[in-house]
Amino acid sequence: APVQLLATNKAGSIAGTSVSSLTYLRRVRPDLRTALPLALAAFAGSLGGAFVASFIPRDAFNPVTLVVLVLVGAYTLLKPELGRSSLLRFSGRRHYGAAMLTG
């Protein structure tokens, strides 16, 4: 089932995301006050995504996953400067709102 596929993939994702996050933290030095709202919003989005995935039929899941992976891969290849610098565009509540929306 799609939900089981996503759950199995999460173990590898956690390891990869942890290493990437630590590398980003060391190299870019982002504003850590942003991390908590962003993480909470990302967690809520993850729960919502898992809930939605439970309603996707298996026949439709594989093509959707393939298209999303190709789009994310293309975006990553076309934006090599992504994440090299940290420029705050907002401040105060707008900053936290943007971080939560991103999460």
Side-chain angles (χ1 to χ4, degrees):
V3 174
Q4 292 168 331
L5 292 172
L6 291 173
T8 302
N9 190 32
K10 284 297 170 196
S13 297
I14 289 170
T17 301
S18 298
V19 171
S20 297
S21 297
L22 290 174
T23 302
Y24 185 78
L25 179 65
R26 269 194 354 250
R27 291 185 183 172
V28 178
R29 305 261 184 217
D31 181 9
L32 294 179
R33 294 173 297 175
T34 306
L36 183 60
L38 191 136
L40 291 174
F43 182 70
S46 181
L47 289 176
F51 179 74
V52 169
S54 68
F55 295 105
I56 297 175
R58 187 180 191 136
D59 296 339
F61 188 76
N62 289 339
V64 168
T65 304
L66 181 62
V67 168
V68 170
L69 284 174
V70 168
L71 290 174
V72 169
Y75 183 79
T76 303
L77 287 174
L78 295 173
K79 296 282 188 176
E81 74 281 355
L82 186 67
R84 288 200 180 147
S85 66
S86 180
L87 301 172
L88 298 180
R89 296 182 185 165
F90 306 106
S91 62
R93 290 182 185 198
R94 290 186 70 198
H95 174 75
Y96 293 116
M100 291 174 69
L101 182 64
T102 301

